[in-house]
Amino acid sequence: MIGALMLDIAGTTLTPQDIEILQAPQVGGLILFARNIESPQQVRALTNHIRRIRPEILIAVDQEGGRVQRLKNGFTLLPAMGRFGELYQQHPEQALVLAEQCGWLMATEVLAVGIDFSFAPVLDVDDVSDVIGDRGFAKNVEDIPELAGAFMKGMHRAGMATTGKHFPGHGSVKADSHVAAAVDMRSYKEIYEKDMQSFIQLMPELDAVMPAHVIYPQVDSNPAGFSSYWIQEILRKQLKFNGVLFSDDLTMQAACVVGGADARIQAALQAGCDMGLVCNDREAASLALQGLEGFPFPDQTRLERMRGKIPDIDIGEQLALGSEWQTAKHAIEQFKQTIANK
């Protein structure tokens, strides 16, 4: 069974304490950070070990590109998604081809080292938010579905599920929800007509959605990730989304309005999330596990869709994943060089 908690580990190998907590039935996922990464070979050894402990676990990472990519040494350094949006203004067809190649390349490298999926793509508009910025594909909301759709097509072709974040939109909110309470005072109509459009148009291609730790007081008093209105009424009923719902990290400052880690994961699941993330705080993760005692397990059919097509290959000190990988890698690195030369 896949449990409802996703947590993290401290280092590049499993400690006895890691092994103990991974065996807790309600631990269903593990997210890797930069501190867990030394090389492709080491990551594959780590994920193989994790699966010997818990074969059913889902392993994730944030490998968006730009300033948010955890896999660096030995992996392709990807451009920020906003660079595709800039190219799209002048050369839309080229931008879409490169976005798809980038999605395929990211997914292929992540899968090769035994990680099921990256929490990608960001579907937020590049507006006033500093924490989003060029993590979003474009400043023009109408450009995002085309570009993100191409990126997701590449992910799917490689065998990776997609996760759109941060519903219903974080790009129009100045505050960084990692470190502060984030509030968006706009009406539902304004949010729907702008920020939500990329999610709505790409809904058929989304395997999962991550709600924002943002409060939209004109709609509901709770942050979207704790709001049964946003999750059950809007996402599930009105938009008919039947994929997985992951909470954003429940240790973020904007999530603390709900209480301790036990109360936060309970609130997220009761609102309709399938899995809650508790990162960079083992004490909080243990408290969240206690909070899950007696909770039903999440929908297994939904969560199984997030399992990546991980190849049965030996990874050496350097990635070598075939001719298509070489072609895509060259195209993305050439694109980055073109940007650098401007």
Side-chain angles (χ1 to χ4, degrees):
M1 294 283 282
I2 305 171
L5 172 65
M6 179 175 283
L7 45 67
D8 59 328
I9 57 173
T12 55
T13 58
L14 293 180
T15 65
Q17 293 78 17
D18 293 331
I19 291 170
E20 181 181 5
I21 200 166
L22 286 174
Q23 290 172 328
Q26 277 285 19
V27 173
L30 190 147
I31 182 168
L32 298 180
F33 289 94
R35 64 176 181 271
N36 308 124
I37 314 299
E38 284 180 349
S39 68
Q41 190 176 46
Q42 169 267 328
V43 178
R44 185 66 191 242
L46 174 61
T47 57
N48 286 346
H49 190 190
I50 292 164
R51 288 201 166 87
R52 287 197 297 274
I53 305 300
R54 286 293 298 275
E56 69 276 32
I57 203 165
L58 294 171
I59 304 177
V61 71
D62 284 319
Q63 190 74 352
E64 297 173 12
R67 58 198 151 99
V68 181
Q69 49 189 323
R70 313 304 185 201
L71 306 169
K72 292 183 178 179
N73 186 33
F75 298 84
T76 305
L77 295 179
L78 308 171
M81 296 300 101
R83 303 293 83 79
F84 297 113
E86 292 164 0
L87 180 64
Y88 189 79
Q89 298 306 306
Q90 302 297 325
H91 305 285
E93 290 184 8
Q94 183 187 3
L96 294 177
V97 169
L98 282 169
E100 182 180 345
Q101 281 184 302
C102 190
W104 182 89
L105 180 66
M106 178 279 289
T108 296
E109 292 191 353
V110 168
L111 291 165
V113 294
I115 299 171
D116 289 293
F117 61 93
S118 168
F119 284 113
V122 169
L123 299 182
D124 301 310
V125 62
D126 178 2
D127 195 352
V128 299
S129 172
D130 294 329
V131 74
I132 299 299
D134 64 5
R135 292 168 65 193
F137 280 89
K139 295 181 182 295
N140 300 323
V141 69
E142 60 270 16
D143 295 348
I144 298 173
E146 289 287 325
L147 290 159
F151 189 87
M152 289 161 62
K153 183 179 178 183
M155 289 176 67
H156 278 149
R157 190 160 56 82
M160 180 180 286
T162 60
T163 305
K165 57 188 188 184
H166 306 81
F167 181 86
H170 197 320
S172 299
V173 185
K174 184 66 175 174
D176 177 356
S177 54
H178 292 84
V179 296
V183 180
D184 186 338
M185 295 303 299
R186 293 176 302 158
S187 68
Y188 177 78
K189 183 174 184 290
E190 290 174 288
I191 300 164
Y192 180 91
E193 290 178 350
K194 183 179 180 183
D195 302 67
M196 282 174 62
Q197 284 306 305
S198 55
F199 292 92
I200 292 168
Q201 292 180 41
L202 291 170
M203 201 66 72
E205 310 306 320
L206 285 170
D207 301 292
V209 164
M210 179 177 283
H213 282 326
V214 175
I215 300 171
Y216 307 87
Q218 301 292 328
V219 183
D220 188 66
S221 60
N222 293 307
F226 298 123
S227 167
S228 58
Y229 183 80
W230 276 114
I231 291 175
Q232 295 182 28
E233 186 63 34
I234 303 299
L235 263 174
R236 293 294 191 209
K237 291 182 183 176
Q238 292 188 25
L239 301 181
K240 296 182 169 48
F241 180 66
N242 193 37
V244 176
L245 286 167
F246 290 102
S247 84
D248 206 342
D249 183 3
L250 294 171
T251 65
M252 287 164 59
Q253 187 61 38
C256 294
V257 295
V258 175
D262 50 350
R264 288 176 230 157
I265 196 162
Q266 289 172 0
L269 298 182
Q270 287 167 346
C273 287
D274 298 289
M275 185 177 283
L277 279 69
V278 178
C279 308
N280 302 309
D281 188 335
R282 179 55 61 84
E283 188 177 339
S286 298
L287 184 59
L289 266 180
Q290 293 174 33
L292 288 174
E293 288 179 12
F295 258 72
F297 280 78
D299 187 309
Q300 299 295 296
T301 304
R302 271 191 207 138
L303 285 169
E304 277 293 340
R305 296 178 201 151
M306 301 306 296
R307 200 167 299 286
K309 293 181 180 176
I310 295 170
D312 184 12
I313 55 174
D314 290 323
I315 297 294
E317 292 186 11
Q318 298 294 324
L319 287 176
L321 302 175
S323 59
E324 186 177 0
W325 172 75
Q326 287 281 11
T327 299
K329 181 180 176 70
H330 177 72
I332 294 303
E333 289 180 340
Q334 195 171 46
F335 175 52
K336 284 178 59 191
Q337 190 60 50
T338 302
I339 297 165
N341 290 339
K342 283 185 176 179

